[in-house]
Structures are given as C-alpha cells and as structure tokens.
Amino acid sequence: MASESVVNFTSAVFRRKSDTVNISIQESGELFTIPRKALEFLAHILSIMAEGKAISLIPSESEVSTQQAADMLNVSRPHIVKLLEQGVIPFKKAGSHRRILLEDLMKYAGQQDKTRKQNLKFLAEQAQDLNLGYE
C-alpha cells in the first residue's frame, strides 16, 4: 500500500510552497491544518515503508545505551565504548551503565558522514589526476 501511494503523495507534498497544508479526511469530512514539514516527514516515512524497511521514532532528547548506539551506527559495542572513553562522543553514567544523548550520537554520525564524503571526493580526484582508468 505504501509503494502505491508514495509517488502521488510525494509529488503532491513537494508541489506545495506554503508553510502549512490543509488536510481533509474523506470519510469524516474533517478539515485541519498541519505544518508542511510534518507532511514532508510523512512522505519520507512512506518512501521508507515502500522499500520494506522498518522505521522507529525516538525523541531527540532520548538517551541510548551503548548497544543501541552501536546498532544505530552499524559498529560494534566495544568500538562505541572506545569512542566514549576517548571523549569523542559525550556520555554520562547511570550506575555502571553508559548513556548517550541521541542528539550527541547523531552529531557524531553527521560528522563521520561529512568526513567520509570528503575522503571519497579526495580519492576520486586522485584517481582522475593519476589516470587510473576511472571516467
């Protein structure tokens, strides 16, 4: 169902230019207004569902465990612990357990993505400069 509706829904959402969108529920006739950003978010959720992927929503002020952080970044838990102990990602302790603010984890992930893209761009430029057969 998500894959059937995602194309029409997404095109309708991104055609709109105002900050708010009026929504009408066909069955009840109710009419209400929501922020355009909320509709864009719903379009993103639909596209993820259309790909058959699971989605979870976590409030940004939430704290995650080292295992949850490792799962989110696709790395091992010991690697996360090492990053925490080196001070790369801030954390706090609750008893003997380390807790990481989701906001801090996402900031680290964003920095890693930016670094990764810069490094890939550099490597691609080097390959071009050295005529390594990439066109």
Side-chain angles (χ1 to χ4, degrees), residues 4-38:
E4 293 173 11
S5 61
V6 72
V7 174
N8 293 333
F9 186 84
T10 302
S11 65
V13 167
F14 290 104
R15 266 187 301 207
R16 308 269 314 150
K17 299 297 178 206
S18 65
D19 290 340
T20 60
V21 178
N22 294 322
I23 305 257
S24 173
I25 305 295
Q26 190 172 12
E27 288 83 20
S28 65
E30 292 178 68
L31 184 65
F32 56 94
T33 303
I34 65 169
R36 183 171 181 266
K37 288 279 187 195

Side-chain angles (χ1 to χ4, degrees), residues 10-75:
T10 302
S11 65
V13 167
F14 290 104
R15 266 187 301 207
R16 308 269 314 150
K17 299 297 178 206
S18 65
D19 290 340
T20 60
V21 178
N22 294 322
I23 305 257
S24 173
I25 305 295
Q26 190 172 12
E27 288 83 20
S28 65
E30 292 178 68
L31 184 65
F32 56 94
T33 303
I34 65 169
R36 183 171 181 266
K37 288 279 187 195
L39 210 56
E40 289 174 5
F41 185 60
L42 182 56
H44 183 66
I45 290 172
L46 277 173
S47 67
I48 291 170
M49 289 174 66
E51 294 172 9
K53 296 179 181 174
I55 192 164
S56 11
L57 300 175
I58 305 170
S60 61
E61 67 276 356
S62 295
E63 294 178 347
V64 294
S65 69
T66 53
Q67 186 59 59
Q68 290 169 319
D71 292 343
M72 292 172 81
L73 297 181
N74 290 323
V75 297

Side-chain angles (χ1 to χ4, degrees), residues 13 18 29 34 39 45-46 54 62 69 72 80 86 93 97 100 105-106 112 118 121 125 128-129 131:
V13 167
S18 65
I34 65 169
L39 210 56
I45 290 172
L46 277 173
S62 295
M72 292 172 81
I80 290 291
Q86 291 174 345
K93 277 200 163 187
H97 301 282
I100 307 160
L105 186 65
M106 293 297 96
Q112 290 299 105
Q118 288 171 342
K121 182 180 178 188
E125 288 170 356
Q128 290 291 327
D129 292 344
N131 248 350

